[in-house]
Amino acid sequence: MLDSTSFAILPSNVKKQETFPHKLGAVKEVALRDQMLVGRTEKGHFACYFIDEETIRIMIDPAKEVTLTPSIAAEGDRLAACDEFTQNNTQAILTKGETTVVLTKDTGVFTVFKKEQERFATCGFGYNRANKHQLQIVSRAETAILGLGEKTGFLNKAGSIISMWNTDVYSPHNKDTVELYQSIPFFIADDPQAGKYGVFYDNSFRTEFDYQSYQDRYTIMAEGGAVNLYVFLGDSLKEIVAGYTRLTGKTPLPPKWSLGYHQSRYSYTSEQEVERIAKTFKEKGIPLDCIFMDIHYMDDFRVFTFNPDTFAGGPALVKALKEQNIDVVPIVDPGVKKDVDYSVYQEGIKNRYFCEKLEGDVYYGEVWPGESAFPDFFQPEVQNWWGDLHQFYTDLGIRGIWNDMNEPSVFNESKTMDLDVVHRQPGRQITHKEGHNLYGLYMSKATFEGLKRLNENERPFSLTRAGYAGVQRYSAVWTGDNRSHWEHMEMSLPMIMNLGLSGVAFTGADVGGFSSECSKEMLIRWTQVGAFLPYFRNHCVQDSIYQEPWAFGAEAEAITKKFIELRYQFLPYLYTLFAEAAETGLPVVRPLYMEYEEERHFLNVSDQFMLGSSVMVAPILRPGQKERLVYLPKGEWYHFTTKERFVGTGEAIIVKAELDDMPIFVKAGTILPLGTKVMNSKEAQKLCLEVYLGTDDKTCGKVYLDDGHSYDYQKGASLTVQFEAIQQGTQLNVHSSAQGDKNWLPDIAEIHAYGAKIDEIIRMGD
Ligand code: MIG
């Protein structure tokens, strides 16, 4: 505990700055080989190639020839032919379309130009005898930094030092908590003059990104391995994120039930309690899609078991709830109890499926079940084995799994496995130093693919705490152990927006806060904002006050219910955004800046967000507040509750919001596809179109429809309807044109128009 007192800053405790004295030296040899620029310097090796005109991979290895095999994250890595390679005494130049990569021979510096404008340039590289290296990249004081996954602080990370080492942090997260559960070494650098680019530093060792120490550059340090970076050259944030997700994958279309309201607690400690919670939702008429079973459902915390005393009827309960349209999601941790009579442990030992120390002994660590062994998810056989074990759950109708503690978290000094644990990838063995940040990603892969195998035509839902770049392909991410602090509600917004910019579209924070005590007002405000974030789950820690929607009396119940209902009304719009995310890789929740890049001051707007391009949310994030500043982008907007019309100037206005309201704005010119009231996502929902008339006569919208849970949409069983509204005096014509499987044509229950006096609405088309 000494580091939490002034002892930590004793004069003698000054930290030594790490140095990187060894350089690569000048280029000795460079050539074009298989469409790739390759060569060596006095002391190292490098390679560089195009993936497409906008994406370049650069590798530098001081120790040996570069390893070309892409990591698990970079599944879209394919070498593309270049247009031209030339060299002279001072430079080697690789060109594709409008992009040029120049390697300067006497310095080993890589510079990337697009249309002759310099976009990206390295300016230094060093390494030391501890196998660490540091790459330096040119920047300016004005350069904004976005992305970097799940990090604390505001949206723009310029001026921060951020590192990547998946860590279970129960103590309160704050600006100085630079390592959390996820490591996504991807960021967007945005220079107001030179332009924007993205960098994915695909190195899974602990890395550190220093945007603080220098005025003219930033540095990237890795504790091992080689420089393995991808540069993305889109002209906008959207193009860069699209490029990044072409490489690392997109958030697949989730099952609709995973977008509903989820209720959790650590833990509902018996089947009776789970049943009571489900019943209370029903009695109170509060919509619900899913209840979680946290660690108490298990037999002494053995995964793939039920507690024979408190959850003996668990399997029957899961089936019964399923019949009431309520899914149950159990937690599955990686630690397998060391117990000679436990079949999962026996199988793992017999087949050498558990992580071993370099010397060959099984690695044991202390977690909930006591001494435990940890599956080595890096081996394909282990992924299969683990995935298949989930039949225990899928046989009961379970379609979603919650993976926790997969940093991996271990109760010891280092908080994780020993660094001399080894992980066996096909053809390659790595130590935990290199594998640590990948452990959660591999576990998510095993879970997702297992569920998919066991239930072939059912989209799985998996929720993970830990991950690495590419985690979006397998799992939704919740932001771990936040607290019932107003500051944490506020901080979840830039965190979720930066996760979205880092390719992870399906994210949420525990509504109401995990630890500390929630309050009436906080639950209300947090439920309001949670209803508009991609993943919507209320969860809290044992011993803390209960925080279900009815926990704080009638007023709180009525308001939280109203906002949970609003979530379901927005479901058709939200689901459409998820369908788009699966196609384009773009996030569902976005910073205002992503939609309005000409407004540079929006880089500082961390407490408002866009839901798609048409809806802007400005939640109330402080106690006692009944109004707040709202930046309204240029153009016209409608207040969702009052339907009042506002003219946005890009500057802030003051907007009122009583306790039962939250400022939501809809962009003029939008047809919002909302849905009728339902008690869960499995009930048939009709559409209610809300037409927010624009200033020019273009008012449009769209909705995506399918069965909400199977993969039939990939075989054509889906439909997209485009709507357009045209005003003629007091008459409004609403045209719809549908593309796809007409079986999914929506039932339109209501159409409302705002912004003009409309007497008659005429529907035309499909
Ligand atoms: O804190 O499984 O972040 O959501 O309820 C101990 C018990 C381990 C941490 C997770 C939290 C979960 C809890 N887990």
Side-chain angles (χ1 to χ4, degrees), residues 207-227:
T207 48
E208 190 170 282
F209 297 77
D210 179 352
Y211 306 103
Q212 184 180 82
S213 302
Y214 308 93
Q215 286 293 313
D216 60 347
R217 66 192 64 194
Y218 57 84
T219 63
I220 302 174
M221 188 276 286
E223 293 200 345
V227 171

Side-chain angles (χ1 to χ4, degrees), residues 447-463:
T447 301
F448 179 82
E449 290 176 350
L451 290 175
K452 208 169 154 177
R453 264 197 318 279
L454 289 164
N455 228 333
E456 266 181 18
N457 200 23
E458 191 71 37
R459 289 173 233 162
F461 169 61
S462 98
L463 180 66

Side-chain angles (χ1 to χ4, degrees), residues 150-151 169 173 180-182 463-465 476-482 488 491-493 495-496 499 507-510 526 535 537:
E150 181 189 60
K151 295 297 169 194
V169 187
H173 307 162
L180 282 170
Y181 315 89
Q182 297 273 334
L463 180 66
T464 186
R465 193 167 73 173
V477 169
W478 101 102
T479 59
D481 296 346
N482 62 1
H488 277 194
M491 195 165 67
S492 71
L493 300 181
M495 196 181 274
I496 284 169
L499 272 163
T507 51
D510 285 346
W526 213 321
Y535 181 58
R537 182 183 74 157

Side-chain angles (χ1 to χ4, degrees), residues 168 170 181 264-267 294-296 331 333 368 402 404-405 407 411 465 478-482 510 514 537 539-542:
D168 171 1
Y170 179 68
Y181 315 89
S264 182
R265 179 176 174 87
Y266 166 33
S267 300
D294 206 328
I295 53 176
H296 288 82
I331 196 168
D333 290 347
W368 304 122
W402 175 23
D404 185 23
M405 302 290 281
E407 290 71 29
F411 303 150
R465 193 167 73 173
W478 101 102
T479 59
D481 296 346
N482 62 1
D510 285 346
F514 179 66
R537 182 183 74 157
H539 179 56
C540 68
V541 72
Q542 63 183 0

Side-chain angles (χ1 to χ4, degrees), residues 9 96 100 201 226 233 275 345-346 366 415 448-449 451 498 511 525 567 627 636 651 694 731 743:
I9 48 170
K96 185 171 181 63
T100 307
Y201 208 75
L233 292 178
E275 198 176 2
Y345 180 71
Q346 289 170 348
E366 188 85 16
K415 297 188 189 167
F448 179 82
E449 290 176 350
L451 290 175
N498 274 324
V511 167
R525 292 305 192 187
R567 165 71 165 208
E627 57 184 18
E636 294 202 27
E651 296 305 316
Q731 183 185 314
N743 284 320

